[in-house]
Every structure is written in C-alpha cells, then in structure tokens.
Amino acid sequence: MRIWLDGALRNAEDARVSVFDHGLTVGDGVFETVKADHGRAFALTRHLERLATSARGLGLPEPDLDEVRRGCEAVLDANPMPLGRLRITYTGGESPLGSDRGDAGPTLVVALSATTRRPDTTAAVTVPWTRNERGALAGLKTTSYGENVVALARAHEQGATEALFANTVGALCEGTGSNVFVVLDGELHTPPLSSGCLAGITRALTVAWAGAKETDLPLDVLERAEEIFLTSTLRDVQAVTRVDGRQLADGPGPVTAEAMRIFDEQSAADLDPR
Ligand code: PLP
C-alpha cells in the first residue's frame, strides 16, 4: 500500500509519524473519509472544503488543499481497487509532551483501504449520551472521536451498526458516523445543523436531491416515524429497519427507496457534485 505523507508518496510500512504528534497525544487533528469508485473520488471538492472548515475551527494552520488533492489522486493512482475509502488526516504535528501545539508544522496523511458496498438495510440504537450542540467541536470532523467509538461499541453489542445521539436539549442529532432522516406523514425530515450534527455531505446532497426539510425533532420521533434512514459517505442512503426494540419493516419503505434511487442515479452522474 502506497500512502501520502507530508508531500510524497511512500510505502505505508516505511512511513513514520512522530510518537509526539499532537494528533496522537491529544486528538488535535481533523479528518475526512472519501469514497472512491474505481479510482475516482466522490464529492472530493466538498470534502476538501470541509477539511479546511474543521481545521479552521480547531485553529490548525490552513491546509494546502492543492496538496491534499494531489495526495488523494496519487494514492488512488498507486493503489487501484474497485471501491475504496480514502482517509485524509491532518494534525497539529510534532509537539513536546504537555505543551501546546508545536511549531514543527502540521502532519498530512492520505491513506486508502478497500471497502464493499453497504447492505441496503441496517439496525440502529439510541444511546444515553448527548452531543453538545454548543461545544467547541460541534459540527467539526476532528480526530477526537472517542465518544463515537464508545457509542458504536454499544450499538454492536446490540446487533446494530449505528448509535444515534440526542443533543443536550433532547433533540434528535446524528449517528456516530452518519446523519439521520425520518419520514413523518409521508414527508422527509432531517435535524438542522443547529442540532449539533456534522454537515454531512451525503446529508446535503440528499436534502437537495430528495427534497427533505430541516426540522427540530425530539429523540422519541424514532418511536413513531414511518421510515428512518441514515446517510454517510460509506453508507450512501441506508434504510433503518430496526431501531432499539422497534421493527419498522423488512426493507426500505417507499420514501427511503426513492431517496436511495435518486442518490445512486445522481451520484453516478456527478462525481464531484457542488
Ligand atoms: N456525522 C458524523 C459524526 C460523521 O462522522 C459522518 C461521517 O463522515 C457523518 C455524519 C456523515 O457525513 P458524510 O455524509 O459527509 O460522510
């Protein structure tokens, strides 16, 4: 596997990042996951823009997006595969233990791993922990993902693949790595960004392409929604057929099936949608 590290392609086994990297020691980093179909990255421009937004939110130096794009293209060219997951990681760089971020400059890594198309349906659970919609990291895609790791483990214990959070005022927010949509009286809704959710790229495209409304929703909407689905880079649009103890259906409902169809069609036609 060839990866990109700080300006050059390298063998993954030879690439070295300092054990004092601030991303490793205190989670001072941001990241993106980008889907690549036969070497072609989907919505790369949007991902690069979000990387820069997250970096700004964390006070990291402005990433050189031309270099990040070059790194992604070089890694994709060097490692051909049908369906890949590009991972861009950008951290505060090497820094003495116990000190603020050092001045050695940021670390940029672009890596790739093979993946497969997700199943059309899945199960989700709710978790008792909350997203802080007023926190310093709200809406940023940082490498401080410990809370998501814990919540996802809770989902796996219950035979589900995603855990859903409410925010501090009890409103439905998002999953550990996905946004959530519900159908109420035949209409499609998703929580607004003010709920504290990440500005998901699949979410934004689904809002635009399938015409969802952004609505404040209580967490218990999951007990009565006619349909529920998740969106993310690797899930695309994925139906939730069981949430906690509630079985909704055996397969995607009509609104979900239509959102899946539109997403597949539009994303195949436009690899870098604005
Ligand atoms: N919410 C969180 C916390 C995420 O980590 C992700 C995954 O990137 C998403 C939502 C979905 O965003 P996207 O559609 O851009 O992958």
Side-chain angles (χ1 to χ4, degrees), residues 71-86:
C72 291
E73 287 166 357
V75 168
L76 287 170
D77 286 349
N79 305 283
M81 59 182 67
L83 192 61
R85 164 207 289 245
L86 268 179

Side-chain angles (χ1 to χ4, degrees), residues 49-254:
E49 285 167 359
R50 189 171 63 187
L51 184 80
T53 302
S54 299
R56 258 175 246 134
L58 213 57
L60 286 166
E62 195 70 23
D64 175 350
L65 297 186
D66 289 339
E67 186 203 332
V68 184
R69 186 183 285 275
R70 252 196 339 277
C72 291
E73 287 166 357
V75 168
L76 287 170
D77 286 349
N79 305 283
M81 59 182 67
L83 192 61
R85 164 207 289 245
L86 268 179
R87 160 80 188 212
I88 306 166
T89 310
Y90 182 71
T91 80
E94 189 169 343
S95 181
L97 279 180
S99 67
D100 289 345
R101 187 184 297 150
D103 52 15
T107 302
L108 170 67
V109 183
V110 182
L112 180 68
S113 62
T115 186
T116 51
R117 187 173 156 88
R118 52 92 187 107
D120 281 351
T121 63
T122 195
V125 297
T126 54
V127 284
W129 309 297
T130 52
R131 276 272 193 268
N132 183 357
E133 70 282 8
R134 287 165 297 154
L137 302 184
L140 305 181
K141 200 162 165 66
T142 76
T143 56
S144 298
Y145 254 37
E147 192 145 50
N148 293 318
V149 172
V150 172
L152 190 58
R154 173 70 65 92
H156 290 161
E157 281 162 23
Q158 297 176 57
T161 71
E162 184 57 303
L164 296 169
F165 289 94
N167 65 14
T168 64
V169 294
L172 179 64
C173 184
E174 65 176 344
T176 66
S178 63
N179 293 105
V180 58
F181 287 69
V182 297
V183 177
L184 297 168
D185 295 328
E187 281 197 332
L188 191 53
H189 300 265
T190 193
L193 298 182
S194 57
S195 70
C197 67
L198 184 76
I201 290 167
T202 325
R203 172 191 179 280
L205 295 173
T206 303
V207 167
W209 291 341
K213 291 190 177 139
E214 299 180 76
T215 313
D216 281 312
L217 303 158
L219 184 68
D220 68 8
V221 75
L222 299 174
E223 295 167 15
R224 55 178 187 280
E226 294 128 45
E227 299 175 40
I228 303 171
F229 66 76
L230 305 175
T231 61
S232 81
T233 291
L234 295 175
R235 294 178 193 267
D236 296 333
V237 175
Q238 186 181 41
V240 174
T241 49
R242 180 167 60 85
V243 62
D244 293 328
R246 179 180 174 219
Q247 188 73 35
L248 283 97
D250 292 336

